[in-house]
Amino acid sequence: MRALAVALSASLLTATAGLAVADTPKAASKAGARDEAAFIEALLGKMTLEEKLGQLNQPPGPDNRTGPQAEAGGLDQVRRSEVGSFLGLHGAARTCQYQKVAVEESRLGIPLLFAGDVIHGFRTIFPQSIGEAATFNPAAVEKSARIAAIEATAHGFHWTFAPMVDIARDPRWGRMSEGSGEDVYLGNVLARARVRGFQGDLKRDDEMLATAKHFVAYGAAEAGRDYNVADMSERTLREVYLPPFQAAVDAGVQTVMASFNEVGGVPMHANGPLINGVLRKEWGFDGLVVSDYTGVWELEKHGIAADDTAAGILALDAGVDIDMVSDIYRKSLPAAVRAGKLSQKTVDEAVRRVLRLKYKLGLFDDPYRFCNVEREQARTLTPEFRQAAREVARESLVLLKNEGNALPLAKGKLRKLAVIGPLADSHPDMLGNWAGDGRPEDTVTPLQGLRTALGSATQVSYAKGASIDGKDTSGFADAVAAARNADAVVMFIGESAAMSGEASSRTDIGLPGVQQQLVEAVKAAGKPVVAVVFSGRALTIEPLSKTVPAIVAAWFPGVEAGNAIADVLLGDYNPAGRLPVTFPRSVGQIPLYYDHKNTGRPIRINPDGKEEKYTSRYLDSPNTPLYPFGWGLSYTTFRYDAPKPKLAKIGAGDTQQVAVTVTNTGTRAGDEVVQLYVRDDVSSVTRPLRQLRGFQRVHLKPGESKTLDFTLKPDDLAFLGLDMRKRVEPGTFIVFAGGSSDASQQAQFEVVAQGR
Ligand code: GLC
């Protein structure tokens, strides 16, 4: 293939014969340090208007299925310079075929970009992103993205539409599965980790462009209904939904994807104030903005564009550089420019951004650097990648409940184990959604994992019991019989992978179908029963929590699901996952998140021990969640000393150090996710009762203590004042330390001078 690449790149010189010698890629690179801007300006100067708008066109590849059916882009379009990049087209040989046509057969030989959704793995599928967030381990999350990039680039992808950094506080919204949950601080940390993992420094052939998506406030869809309106104060937008995008920009993300929703009446694909204003001008983002799938065309559905031309002008003027799938920029905008309705300057600026990314990836030097078929085979689903996926999957599992130490199962004493439930042996569901090129046959199911781990010492029986969301209970009898005939039972229940992800909102987020009834029927058989719950979101599982003594939240753990789950259930790995989202008791409590405000009438208990009626509460439910953000148990126990701020008083621009000592008071070694929360006690605008401002996953042996140092920078104490300017105000700050958001160990310090 190398020889072909050399031959083809030589033809690149002829293909760009119209360019001055110094402009031709090879000649320019032979001239030593190439002036990127001069190269791009020279190329831009040779392009026709149609060729420019072709660079802004991104059709789906022939087998892309990530949105409503649309006409795939083909080789003839490439020959006619009508395509700048493809969605979902991959494969070393396949992309090379298209690249060859672009470089050899189009007039200027501008190489293509190949983009796709590599969200939590390409072929080695790691835990669903929400599960990766549950690791509270940025290094693990970065490693997952790194391996995904190694595989995806070997398969010809230059660009991934990840990380999804949307804050999600409404579990009815199916895309909670794709991000890092409800918390801004965790979201910021993991956004940076994933950008680093995918992009590195964009010099190697296993590093790819990343995309911070979906800009912005997509997760705030009203009623949790996907694509719905998002409407909020500027304060909430700037303090909750924008920060993870700024974190990604600060980490050097090269592209951003606009979101389907409107914000306050302005659809994001036409939202110049937020794209050109905040993203570009305020933050200095100099990368590229890509539309979401038909997002440009949807401006007509939003009712702010009368036709394709109007939609295209609005989007390009707002700063959306590439039109994914609508094919409006290519078809409708040449006439708009010629009619003076759209400035050539705006088009040129967007084209420059596309050419800059192609240049940054070295595609003008070697358009075929990602076309290596041998490398593709060598870098796919390797044993090392699988082992990494197993490690991240283990860390993602959250032990929600473990009454009477029902877990871990007594491996040595277990003669007969019954494995029951619709997810116990489901290969496809272990992949989760947005599972790239993942294949069901690559996965290890829980049944397989347990049988492998237990070997011949334990007889493992299996009964599906019920389907995931059907009403049929005819399988209960077999399940109950299997339970009766076993020493212990593990149930694998929850959502299918297709019940979360895009266009998968649910009004009822309890266990689907008759699964709760199945658990109750099996429980009635009288044997010890524990449950593993799969989901892409927080679920309302209070009935389950009243039925079984132990529950593990597994999300969708990826290719190594069964082995990772067996490691935890059998005690070979001590779980330490923590909830990145609040688990409400009921849908009626939603939105429910830990960093809520106090209100003027917080709940209080009267002398008679009852809640005061006239307070912010429900008549039919506690305010508290079933399991709070940051929650998770271990097979050991930990004790926290009160956090120790280094300084009793600091200035508003100063940094504070806080030491937290944690001790393993149990009998097993284990990880603990030490969390630090901060509260600004009195301030000029209301502040949450507490906000995560630091976490560290630490390993402790039985009896071992460790003191962890946390640094609170001014930004960790700052908020937007009445004037919407960031400031640290004088007053008392309270710090909380513990193993979840209801941490009780606390201390305080004073800020003594007026902030910024
Ligand atoms: C989808 C999703 C987006 C994805 C894109 C391309 O509609 O909203 O996250 O990257 O289309 O598949």
Side-chain angles (χ1 to χ4, degrees):
M1 179 56 78
R2 188 77 201 133
L4 172 62
V6 172
L8 291 175
S9 62
S11 69
L12 189 65
L13 303 180
T14 52
T16 53
L19 301 172
V21 171
D23 302 336
T24 48
K26 247 1 188 181
S29 63
K30 283 203 180 94
R34 176 194 298 142
D35 178 338
E36 173 185 328
F39 173 80
I40 286 171
E41 289 314 305
L43 184 51
L44 196 65
K46 304 282 183 280
M47 296 170 76
T48 66
L49 177 58
E50 280 70 13
E51 286 169 336
K52 289 177 181 177
L53 288 162
Q55 282 298 307
L56 309 186
N57 183 36
Q58 183 181 107
D63 37 18
N64 185 73
R65 295 290 173 274
T66 61
Q69 198 51 38
E71 188 186 344
L75 290 170
D76 286 344
Q77 276 199 302
V78 174
R79 283 187 188 91
R80 295 193 301 266
S81 306
E82 295 176 1
V83 178
S85 55
F86 272 101
L87 159 63
L89 197 157
H90 56 80
R94 194 97 178 280
T95 54
C96 193
Q97 177 201 10
Y98 277 71
Q99 196 68 296
K100 190 167 173 295
V101 169
V103 169
E104 276 192 55
E105 299 180 35
S106 73
R107 189 176 77 86
L108 290 173
I110 299 173
L112 296 163
L113 282 172
F114 297 103
D117 298 281
V118 182
I119 311 294
H120 54 105
F122 173 72
R123 175 73 188 277
T124 305
I125 301 304
F126 281 74
Q128 190 80 48
S129 308
I130 190 78
E132 289 191 341
T135 68
F136 277 70
N137 183 348
V141 170
E142 179 173 347
K143 183 172 184 181
S144 166
R146 182 85 298 275
I147 289 172
I150 292 168
E151 282 191 334
T153 52
H155 287 254
F157 271 144
H158 301 124
W159 177 12
T160 178
F161 295 136
M164 185 273 216
V165 301
D166 300 308
I167 294 293
R169 300 182 152 186
D170 187 333
R172 291 171 293 181
W173 189 54
R175 301 196 78 166
M176 174 178 269
S177 63
E178 290 176 59
S180 299
E182 71 187 50
D183 181 65
V184 175
Y185 184 88
L186 179 63
N188 292 351
V189 169
L190 297 186
R192 288 190 284 266
R194 288 186 166 120
V195 169
R196 286 194 303 268
F198 286 123
Q199 292 191 170
D201 52 18
L202 284 175
K203 295 219 178 346
R204 297 166 19 152
D205 61 13
D206 64 7
E207 296 171 329
M208 65 197 309
L209 303 171
T211 308
K213 73 181 186 183
H214 309 76
F215 189 78
V216 66
Y218 184 27
E222 253 178 30
R225 198 168 76 242
D226 206 356
Y227 316 121
N228 201 5
V229 169
D231 203 351
M232 64 192 70
S233 67
E234 184 187 358
R235 182 181 302 283
T236 299
L237 185 65
R238 285 182 172 276
E239 292 200 327
V240 177
Y241 294 96
L242 281 169
F245 289 92
Q246 186 162 19
V249 169
D250 293 346
V253 75
Q254 292 296 305
T255 79
V256 168
M257 181 184 291
S259 58
F260 288 121
N261 56 287
E262 68 165 69
V263 176
V266 183
M268 280 311 302
H269 282 72
N271 203 313
L274 287 176
I275 296 176
N276 284 331
V278 173
L279 176 64
R280 292 209 163 101
K281 191 153 173 273
E282 195 175 312
W283 295 350
F285 175 66
D286 63 358
L288 173 147
V289 174
V290 60
S291 85
D292 203 338
Y293 193 106
T294 67
V296 174
W297 173 77
E298 291 174 21
L299 293 176
E300 296 172 53
K301 292 296 176 191
H302 278 287
I304 65 162
D307 55 32
D308 285 0
T309 302
I313 293 168
L314 279 172
L316 201 53
D317 273 337
V320 178
D321 301 307
I322 287 186
D323 170 11
M324 183 198 290
V325 178
S326 302
D327 202 16
I328 286 175
Y329 284 14
R330 180 189 69 83
K331 281 196 297 198
S332 306
L333 294 190
V337 172
R338 294 193 172 97
K341 294 179 186 169
L342 175 67
S343 86
Q344 178 74 58
K345 184 169 170 290
T346 303
V347 172
D348 287 354
E349 196 39 51
V351 178
R352 278 191 193 91
R353 295 185 187 116
V354 176
L355 297 179
R356 270 190 221 125
L357 288 188
K358 296 183 177 184
Y359 184 99
K360 196 181 278 276
L361 283 178
L363 295 178
F364 287 109
D365 284 337
D366 177 3
Y368 308 106
R369 60 193 294 254
F370 285 50
C371 288
N372 184 321
V373 177
E374 294 76 34
R375 185 177 62 195
E376 179 181 65
Q377 283 146 12
R379 292 182 182 175
T380 300
L381 207 60
T382 68
E384 296 75 22
F385 293 173
R386 289 196 81 112
Q387 180 55 30
R390 180 170 181 165
E391 288 162 9
V392 177
R394 284 193 301 214
E395 292 195 20
S396 72
L397 302 178
V398 184
L399 182 58
L400 294 176
K401 177 183 183 188
N402 193 20
E403 259 165 26
N405 293 323
L407 284 174
L409 299 173
K411 193 172 172 180
K413 298 184 199 126
L414 210 52
R415 287 183 313 102
K416 288 182 179 179
L417 178 69
V419 169
I420 297 173
L423 285 137
D425 199 32
S426 168
H427 287 276
D429 290 311
M430 297 302 108
L431 294 171
N433 48 71
W434 289 109
D437 199 33
R439 297 173 193 175
E441 62 270 25
D442 295 340
T443 67
V444 177
T445 65
L447 177 63
Q448 290 173 323
L450 284 166
R451 281 184 166 152
T452 303
L454 288 167
S456 55
T458 305
Q459 182 195 330
V460 179
S461 62
Y462 164 60
K464 188 174 177 182
S467 63
I468 289 174
D469 57 359
K471 299 285 177 253
D472 178 6
T473 60
S474 61
F476 282 24
D478 285 352
V480 171
R484 284 208 181 97
N485 186 31
D487 304 326
V489 180
V490 185
M491 299 205 68
F492 294 93
I493 50 181
E495 293 183 317
S496 70
M499 287 177 167
S500 60
E502 185 172 357
S504 304
S505 300
R506 293 178 65 203
T507 59
D508 173 355
I509 54 173
L511 287 176
V514 294
Q515 295 185 60
Q516 175 60 30
Q517 294 89 313
L518 173 64
V519 175
E520 288 163 5
V522 166
K523 178 88 170 88
K527 298 296 175 64
V529 181
V530 298
V532 176
V533 180
F534 296 87
S535 69
R537 53 162 54 90
L539 295 179
T540 50
I541 51 171
E542 190 163 34
L544 178 68
S545 74
K546 292 176 177 169
T547 310
V548 297
I551 302 173
V552 173
W555 320 104
F556 295 109
V559 288
E560 285 291 316
N563 289 331
I565 288 168
D567 291 343
V568 165
L569 294 180
L570 301 175
D572 295 329
Y573 183 81
N574 186 354
R578 293 292 181 270
L579 290 181
V581 286
T582 299
F583 272 49
R585 296 173 191 279
S586 72
V587 167
Q589 291 181 293
I590 292 169
L592 183 65
Y593 44 88
Y594 85 92
D595 55 340
H596 58 81
K597 305 293 188 68
N598 202 28
T599 78
R601 291 200 170 189
I603 281 189
R604 67 170 191 270
I605 306 300
N606 286 330
D608 63 2
K610 290 197 179 125
E611 285 181 351
E612 162 59 37
K613 172 179 171 55
Y614 297 97
T615 54
S616 181
R617 57 193 281 274
Y618 299 99
L619 294 179
D620 56 355
S621 165
N623 284 3
T624 54
L626 183 64
Y627 302 112
F629 172 86
W631 174 264
L633 298 173
S634 167
Y635 292 149
T636 187
T637 51
F638 299 96
R639 186 192 67 239
Y640 283 81
D641 297 352
K644 293 188 174 61
K646 187 173 180 183
L647 301 168
K649 294 181 188 307
I650 63 169
D654 293 347
T655 293
Q656 173 71 284
Q657 300 293 335
V658 181
V660 178
T661 299
V662 58
T663 303
N664 180 341
T665 50
T667 57
R668 292 174 60 109
D671 286 6
E672 169 67 338
V673 177
V674 178
Q675 301 159 49
L676 189 79
Y677 295 84
V678 173
R679 174 182 182 176
D680 184 345
D681 207 17
V682 177
S683 44
S684 54
V685 296
T686 60
R687 305 300 303 137
L689 282 174
R690 58 181 68 191
Q691 290 178 294
L692 183 68
R693 286 294 180 264
F695 61 87
Q696 295 180 41
R697 185 168 175 141
V698 63
H699 188 75
L700 292 167
K701 300 187 190 71
E704 184 181 12
S705 290
K706 275 183 186 168
T707 297
L708 305 173
D709 291 321
F710 290 88
T711 299
L712 293 176
K713 301 189 189 77
D715 264 4
D716 293 319
L717 309 178
F719 62 93
L720 299 177
L722 287 168
D723 59 359
M724 293 302 285
R725 289 164 56 85
K726 194 179 273 194
R727 57 189 305 122
V728 176
E729 286 185 345
T732 301
F733 283 79
I734 304 168
V735 288
F736 305 88
S740 88
S741 58
D742 56 12
S744 53
Q745 289 287 19
Q746 59 181 281
Q748 64 186 54
F749 62 90
E750 301 299 316
V751 170
V752 292
Q754 188 62 25
R756 289 174 255 153

